Amino acid sequence: MATRKPVASRPDLAAMLAPLARSLMALETPVLGRHGLTMWGYAVLSGLRGQEVRTQSALAESIGADKTRVIAVLDDLQDDGLINRQPDPADRRARLLSLTDRGARVHAAAQADIQRRENALLARLGRAERAAFLSALETLASVPRDEIVALAEHGS
Amino acid sequence: MATRKPVASRPDLAAMLAPLARSLMALETPVLGRHGLTMWGYAVLSGLRGQEVRTQSALAESIGADKTRVIAVLDDLQDDGLINRQPDPADRRARLLSLTDRGARVHAAAQADIQRRENALLARLGRAERAAFLSALETLASVPRDEIVALAEHGS
DNA sequence: TATTGTTATACTCTATAACTATA
DNA sequence: TATAGTTATAGAGTATAACAATA
């Protein structure tokens, strides 16, 4: 009881991450709009890049969306000719999802545009600091949501 | 045209930050609940820590909230005896806001609880990497939202 | 009976506009 | 007339539940 712990040696992680993420989304929404994409549309294209996905539910989960919410997004992307979406012959309940050539091109152009602007922000960091930040962020972003949420348990 | 740029040398910043921030909020909501706080209630206490704030609008802006949304939050915090909220004698339109002793104690306890769990997540990083990550994040989080959003302009 | 996709509904969060009281 | 705070309303985003088709 004699000593008092220093309060707030650092700001809360969430208090820094959440506004930063919100600002980045506000930045990216109009940029994606110029490529004819919404935020979720772009997320779907990213989730489909390089790999065919067998069900819409799996895609939804992989991008952190609700399965009911991707439906309208997939409708739009299909109307725009950016994705293929066909019933799986082996299980006609499922829909095989993949990028069209045009979808791959649109995604690549949008991503280049996005990352160019993100790089302008990252330029505020020193070269080594930037590399360390990105490496650490990739590590943390790869931690499954469930494991993070589980840290809320009392005893942890 | 002979060479092709490598695609996606790194994941998008926003694509990593947004889910991570969402997971952290999912972690922290029940933790704060045990201290009798909501997320916005905690944000308000954090915004008031160490300093009196002269108007509710200023407080709202400083924590990235709408001025209409903090009202109910302030009502609850006042009912719970965590904040003082009195008309400014010099300008009775304004409300002087500050933490009560109890509010300061509740905030400190909640923050210690939050950061202990955040530290469990950060333990996935090496010691030097963790320090670099936090330092870089503080730098990026201090960039005003307007400057980030302005990166959307065509020519940037 | 279980699963995929879909639709419809309800709920939460957030933003907008209109009102009061002070200045 | 302008500003701080408040209230009420509308809108967007999200989650929940029920349904049809297929297995």
Side-chain angles (χ1 to χ4, degrees):
Chain A
M1 268 304 179
T3 61
R4 175 183 287 259
K5 282 212 207 102
V7 173
S9 51
R10 62 169 173 85
D12 296 328
L13 219 47
M16 295 189 285
L17 286 171
L20 181 57
R22 262 183 261 135
S23 297
L24 278 171
M25 282 175 33
L27 152 64
E28 301 190 354
T29 297
V31 174
L32 292 173
R34 279 179 222 132
H35 294 269
L37 294 174
T38 64
M39 194 77 65
W40 281 115
Y42 179 68
V44 164
L45 295 186
S46 296
L48 252 35
R49 191 200 51 207
Q51 60 190 322
E52 186 176 87
V53 172
R54 217 186 62 79
T55 73
Q56 297 181 184
S57 300
L59 172 68
E61 192 184 346
S62 78
I63 63 175
D66 194 276
K67 72 167 181 172
T68 63
R69 204 168 59 244
V70 299
I71 294 175
V73 179
L74 292 171
D75 289 345
D76 291 344
L77 292 173
Q78 190 175 24
D79 286 349
D80 293 344
L82 302 179
I83 62 167
N84 300 122
R85 184 203 212 176
Q86 15 177 265
D88 182 348
D91 180 349
R92 301 223 311 280
R93 291 173 303 182
R95 304 271 178 279
L96 298 175
L97 303 170
S98 61
L99 293 184
T100 62
D101 287 349
R102 177 144 174 272
R105 282 198 306 275
V106 167
H107 177 267
Q111 187 174 50
D113 206 351
I114 290 292
Q115 295 212 357
R116 186 164 55 91
R117 292 159 204 279
E118 288 182 345
N119 285 341
L121 176 64
L122 291 172
R124 308 218 171 202
L125 305 176
R127 195 179 146 74
E129 197 183 16
R130 179 168 59 242
F133 174 72
L134 286 172
S135 160
L137 182 56
E138 288 189 45
T139 299
L140 295 178
S142 74
V143 178
R145 177 190 165 94
D146 293 347
E147 287 183 34
I148 295 178
V149 174
L151 293 172
E153 306 310 314
H154 256 92
S156 86
Chain B
M1 269 304 177
T3 61
R4 176 182 287 257
K5 282 210 207 103
V7 172
S9 51
R10 63 167 172 84
D12 296 329
L13 220 48
M16 294 189 285
L17 286 171
L20 181 56
R22 260 182 262 134
S23 297
L24 278 171
M25 282 175 34
L27 152 64
E28 299 189 355
T29 297
V31 175
L32 292 173
R34 278 178 222 132
H35 296 268
L37 295 173
T38 64
M39 194 79 65
W40 281 115
Y42 178 67
V44 163
L45 295 187
S46 295
L48 252 36
R49 190 200 51 205
Q51 58 189 321
E52 185 175 271
V53 173
R54 217 187 61 80
T55 73
Q56 298 182 181
S57 300
L59 172 68
E61 192 184 346
S62 77
I63 63 175
D66 194 276
K67 72 166 180 174
T68 63
R69 206 168 59 242
V70 298
I71 295 174
V73 179
L74 292 171
D75 288 345
D76 290 343
L77 292 173
Q78 190 175 24
D79 286 349
D80 293 346
L82 302 179
I83 63 167
N84 300 122
R85 185 202 211 176
Q86 14 176 265
D88 181 350
D91 181 348
R92 301 223 311 281
R93 292 174 303 181
R95 305 272 178 277
L96 299 174
L97 303 170
S98 60
L99 292 185
T100 62
D101 287 348
R102 177 145 173 272
R105 281 198 307 273
V106 168
H107 177 267
Q111 187 173 52
D113 206 351
I114 290 292
Q115 296 212 358
R116 185 164 55 89
R117 291 159 206 278
E118 289 181 345
N119 286 340
L121 176 64
L122 291 171
R124 307 217 172 205
L125 305 175
R127 198 179 144 74
E129 198 183 15
R130 177 166 60 242
F133 174 73
L134 286 172
S135 160
L137 181 57
E138 286 189 45
T139 300
L140 295 178
S142 74
V143 178
R145 176 190 166 94
D146 293 347
E147 287 182 34
I148 294 178
V149 174
L151 293 174
E153 306 309 315
H154 256 92
S156 83

